[in-house]
Amino acid sequence: MEAYQTEDQQVESLKQWWAKNGRSTIVALIAGLGIILGGRAWIENKDSQSDAASILYQAMLTAMRDGKPDAALEQGARILGQYDNTPYATLAALASAKVKMEQGDSTAARTHLQWALDHGKPQEMVNIARLRLARVLMDSGEAQQALTLLGSEPPTGFVVAYKELEGDLYRALGQIDNARSAYRSALAALTPQARNRADVQMKLDDVGGGGDAAPDGQPRT
C-alpha cells in the first residue's frame, strides 16, 4: 500500500479544502441553479444530502481506523447508494477500493475504482482513481490496458505519479527504452528535496538509466 501514500496526502488535502470551503461552494452553485429553477426546497435538499453524506463518510473513516472493514464498507455502500450525486461518493468509492485491496479482493476494488472514474468529482479525485485502477490492472497482468487507461498526457499536478507508473508499466512489458524515458520525466518533475526522488532514481538506475536526471529530463553527464 506504499503507492497510496502520496495520493492519500492529496486526498487529505482535498478533504481539508472541502471541509473549509465545500459547503459554501455548494451553496453558491446550488443557489444559482435554485434561482433558475425557482426551488428553495430543492436547494435545501441538496445541502442536507451533502451534510448526511459527510456524516456517513466520517463514520466510514472511523471504521477504517478502528480496523472494522465490514462496517466501513457498509457506510460506503450507503453513501454510494443514497448520495451518489455528492463528492463524498467519490471519496467513499476510493476508500472502499482500498479496503477491498487490503482484503485481497481486486475484482471488487476494480469495480469501485471504475465507478469513481466514470462518475467521480472533483477531477482531482478522478485522476487518483485512474492511477489506482491502472495499478490494479498492472498487478493483474494487464499492463497494456493500464497504459491505455493512463493516456499519453498526465493531468496537471500528477506528472510525477503518472510518469512513474508509466515507467513501471513499460518495464513490465519489457519496453525498457520507454521505461527509461518515463522515469526520467518523473525525476525531472521532482524537486531535489522530494521524498520519493530516491525511489524514482533507483527505478531509473535499474533499467540502465544512468545518473541523476537534468531539468530537461535527460541524464546528467
Side-chain angles (χ1 to χ4, degrees):
M1 291 300 156
E2 291 182 3
Y4 282 131
Q5 290 178 355
T6 300
E7 293 157 27
D8 282 341
Q9 291 173 0
Q10 291 172 309
V11 171
E12 185 60 34
S13 177
L14 286 166
K15 285 192 295 188
Q16 291 175 1
W17 180 91
W18 186 258
K20 185 181 296 183
N21 303 293
R23 185 183 179 89
S24 61
T25 301
I26 280 184
V27 170
L29 290 173
I30 294 178
L33 290 171
I35 291 172
I36 296 173
L37 298 175
R40 181 174 180 80
W42 183 82
I43 297 173
E44 292 175 349
N45 178 60
K46 287 293 181 182
D47 198 30
S48 65
Q49 283 192 344
S50 181
D51 288 343
S54 174
I55 292 171
L56 289 174
Y57 182 65
Q58 291 304 317
M60 183 180 190
L61 293 181
T62 298
M64 291 173 69
R65 283 194 299 267
D66 292 345
K68 299 177 180 178
D70 291 339
L73 291 170
E74 181 181 350
Q75 298 296 349
R78 290 180 63 189
I79 296 170
L80 289 166
Q82 300 175 33
Y83 307 106
D84 61 339
N85 62 335
T86 71
Y88 291 104
T90 311
L91 290 168
L94 291 174
S96 296
K98 186 174 182 178
V99 171
K100 283 299 183 181
M101 284 300 293
E102 290 171 347
Q103 292 180 331
D105 189 350
S106 62
T107 300
R110 286 171 68 159
T111 299
H112 287 299
L113 291 171
Q114 189 65 56
W115 188 96
L117 191 61
D118 293 339
H119 307 288
K121 54 186 176 183
Q123 185 60 42
E124 288 81 0
M125 294 295 185
V126 176
N127 295 337
I128 291 172
R130 190 182 306 277
L131 273 172
R132 294 187 178 181
L133 181 54
R135 286 201 188 95
V136 174
L137 288 170
M138 180 177 69
D139 292 343
S140 300
E142 301 173 67
Q144 188 58 59
Q145 293 90 324
L147 272 174
T148 301
L149 178 66
L150 282 184
S152 58
E153 292 296 328
T156 302
F158 289 82
V159 173
V160 174
Y162 270 62
K163 284 298 180 180
E164 182 180 358
L165 179 55
E166 184 180 289
D168 295 343
L169 292 167
Y170 277 126
R171 185 176 182 179
L173 290 168
Q175 299 179 28
I176 302 305
D177 288 344
N178 288 335
R180 289 192 199 104
S181 178
Y183 288 142
R184 285 170 180 162
S185 295
L187 200 61
L190 283 165
T191 64
Q193 297 79 24
R195 291 191 308 170
N196 57 329
R197 187 176 183 86
D199 293 335
V200 179
Q201 181 66 59
M202 186 180 299
K203 290 181 179 181
L204 178 58
D205 292 342
D206 285 345
V207 294
D212 205 354
D216 61 358
Q218 299 301 314
R220 297 187 189 277
T221 58

